[in-house]
Amino acid sequence: MAQNIFDNPTFFAEYKNLRENEPNYNDLLEQPAMRALLPDLAGKDVLDVGCGFGHNCREFAERGAKRVVGLDLSERMLAAAKAQNALPEIEYRRMDMADLDTLAAGAFDFVYSSLCFHYAADFPKLCADIFRLLRAGGRLLFSQEHPFTTCSKNESNRFLCDENGRADAYALAHYAERGRRTGKWFVDDVENYHRTFGDIVTALAEAGFHIERVVEPEPSPEAVRIRPGLEKEFIRPAFLLVRAVKCK
């Protein structure tokens, strides 16, 4: 089972505060880019892996999805989703993404995941499981932390600054050393997994997917105005987005 850090009370409270009370990277960078890649969802069966507070599940239902299943490992996240984003078309379930192979094959037209896949220990299995869940012509759209950000083993990745203190380069470390990483994010020992860009693309291809789009989001001028620190995204991308289709 993946680490269930979102049920840690301290982590959950800090994360909830981040998402609700300030313009953040998700709202200004990742979510606009994901939304631009959404297919037509009218009449479709949708699976949201790592649904969190259920915001995306609600949006999919409002875009006309016939059925939306939101999965998350965190009981706290699911409780919030059921309280804040419940609609008749949406079903929320507690499930580890490592257990997607227990769901019925060919049950979905679209599988979506926002900033969840870097927590998966076995990415090739995850890709194969999702391929099995999709109907022919179905699509997968996911975002994850960019491999440039997951690679460091000891916080050695960092922005390098010029004589005026402005970031103008990025130091990269341990990129080819795959595997588990731990670090501090609100609490100690938050766990994720690093794999290279090539590992990600290869796992998708070997599962049978045709890759349609690969996006490393850049901030809009308005996003930079709201949060000037986003200028660093022109030096090093924080997120990787992929849309892929099951052609057979």
Side-chain angles (χ1 to χ4, degrees):
M1 178 179 288
Q3 182 188 47
N4 186 8
I5 195 65
F6 287 90
D7 275 345
N8 176 300
T10 301
F11 184 95
F12 181 80
E14 293 288 345
Y15 181 80
K16 187 171 184 290
N17 181 66
L18 172 69
R19 293 302 304 271
E20 292 181 349
N21 294 308
E22 64 177 74
N24 56 67
Y25 270 54
N26 301 73
D27 297 330
L28 297 174
L29 187 62
E30 184 259 354
Q31 278 295 290
M34 288 287 276
R35 197 167 288 113
L37 294 173
L38 286 174
D40 179 11
L41 298 179
K44 301 295 177 62
D45 293 309
V46 176
L47 178 66
D48 185 348
V49 180
C51 64
F53 295 124
H55 300 117
N56 295 120
C57 291
R58 171 178 282 275
E59 179 173 350
F60 301 152
E62 291 173 347
R63 284 174 176 257
K66 178 176 66 177
R67 177 174 68 112
V68 181
V69 178
L71 305 181
D72 208 284
L73 187 58
S74 167
E75 292 180 349
R76 290 176 184 268
M77 286 289 194
L78 290 172
K82 292 173 183 177
Q84 300 169 13
N85 291 296
L87 288 173
E89 299 87 350
I90 303 173
E91 174 190 357
Y92 292 109
R93 300 184 198 173
R94 186 171 186 262
M95 180 179 285
D96 190 330
M97 62 183 157
D99 298 328
L100 292 180
D101 55 2
T102 64
L103 299 178
F108 297 97
D109 303 292
F110 180 56
V111 175
Y112 176 94
S113 184
S114 171
L115 299 177
C116 180
F117 283 6
H118 49 273
Y119 298 118
D122 190 342
F123 188 69
K125 177 183 181 298
L126 179 63
C127 293
D129 288 344
I130 292 172
F131 189 86
R132 187 186 66 87
L133 291 176
L134 283 168
R135 298 169 182 141
R139 284 179 166 80
L140 164 65
L141 173 61
F142 73 90
S143 65
Q144 66 156 74
E145 290 187 12
H146 198 285
F148 289 172
T149 71
T150 61
C151 61
S152 177
K153 298 173 72 173
N154 55 15
E155 306 300 324
S156 53
N157 285 11
R158 64 190 187 281
F159 286 98
L160 305 178
C161 298
D162 61 21
E163 63 275 12
N164 298 313
R166 183 172 180 175
D168 65 353
Y170 185 70
L172 191 69
H174 313 121
Y175 183 77
E177 298 179 48
R178 288 107 166 142
R180 179 175 173 268
R181 303 287 196 265
T182 60
K184 184 177 179 64
W185 185 29
F186 304 135
V187 298
D188 293 328
D189 299 322
V190 177
E191 179 181 280
N192 62 13
Y193 290 85
H194 169 65
R195 50 192 62 92
T196 68
F197 190 96
D199 294 336
I200 294 165
V201 172
T202 298
L204 289 163
E206 289 184 343
F209 283 106
H210 169 75
I211 297 171
E212 294 184 310
R213 296 286 304 276
V214 176
V215 176
E216 296 158 300
E218 300 171 7
S220 68
E222 177 63 12
V224 173
R225 185 192 66 78
I226 294 170
R227 186 162 183 157
L230 282 168
E231 283 190 337
K232 293 179 180 177
E233 293 301 303
F234 295 111
I235 300 172
R236 182 275 294 133
F239 304 120
L240 175 68
L241 282 57
V242 179
R243 191 178 73 187
V245 62
K246 179 175 181 175
C247 293
K248 60 179 180 179

